[in-house]
Amino acid sequence: MSFTVGDVIAERTVHLTRESLVRYAGASGDFNPIHYRDDVAAVVGLPGVLAHGMLTMGVASSVVVAALDPAARILDYGVRFTKPVVVDPQDGADVHVLATAGAVDDEAARIDLKVTFGETTVLVKAQLRVAI
């Protein structure tokens, strides 16, 4: 597996629905009602029901993992959460992930992720390192 700085590794838009949030809550055990109840989200001042941050983070990494060789080893992965993904009850939410090679050395490649919801960047410093 070889990478060149600037290469697009993967790009995909992932559609989230309220059902996605319920399924993730069941898998993760995170049943905070801001992830499925509009009334609770409103009471705490949120713009609507939010996708779980770890779901957003997992979606972003899965786009990259799907594009890599199955034997690839992820060395580390980190993000900073900046804005929430509001999941509309009817329309859901589209999370767009663009993964590019940001740095390459003899041991690893750093893959930079641009993760957006609409025109808003929802994860910053989203980077994973892959062993070469």
Side-chain angles (χ1 to χ4, degrees):
M1 181 174 1
S2 66
F3 300 95
T4 302
V5 172
D7 283 352
V8 172
I9 307 302
E11 184 171 16
R12 186 169 74 204
T13 298
V14 177
H15 184 70
L16 298 177
T17 64
R18 293 285 178 94
E19 181 180 345
S20 305
L21 304 185
V22 171
R23 289 177 182 275
Y24 184 81
S28 70
D30 181 352
F31 292 99
N32 186 323
I34 67 168
H35 300 303
Y36 60 89
R37 288 187 48 190
D38 291 291
D39 61 329
V40 173
V43 165
V44 298
L46 297 172
V49 165
L50 307 182
H52 302 71
M54 295 302 289
L55 173 59
T56 305
M57 187 177 174
V59 162
S61 66
S62 72
V63 170
V64 177
V65 169
L68 297 175
D69 183 284
R73 288 185 312 124
I74 305 296
L75 302 173
D76 58 59
Y77 177 42
V79 306
R80 287 192 186 168
F81 300 97
T82 57
K83 299 286 183 183
V85 174
V86 180
V87 182
D88 184 82
Q90 282 78 39
D91 298 331
D94 290 328
V95 176
H96 185 77
V97 180
L98 174 64
T100 57
V104 179
D105 61 32
D106 292 338
E107 298 175 5
R110 187 190 78 221
I111 299 175
D112 299 335
L113 298 127
K114 181 177 181 184
V115 183
T116 56
F117 164 59
E119 299 299 316
T120 303
T121 299
V122 296
L123 301 178
V124 296
K125 294 198 182 268
Q127 300 174 331
L128 43 70
R129 284 187 344 114
V130 178
I132 294 182

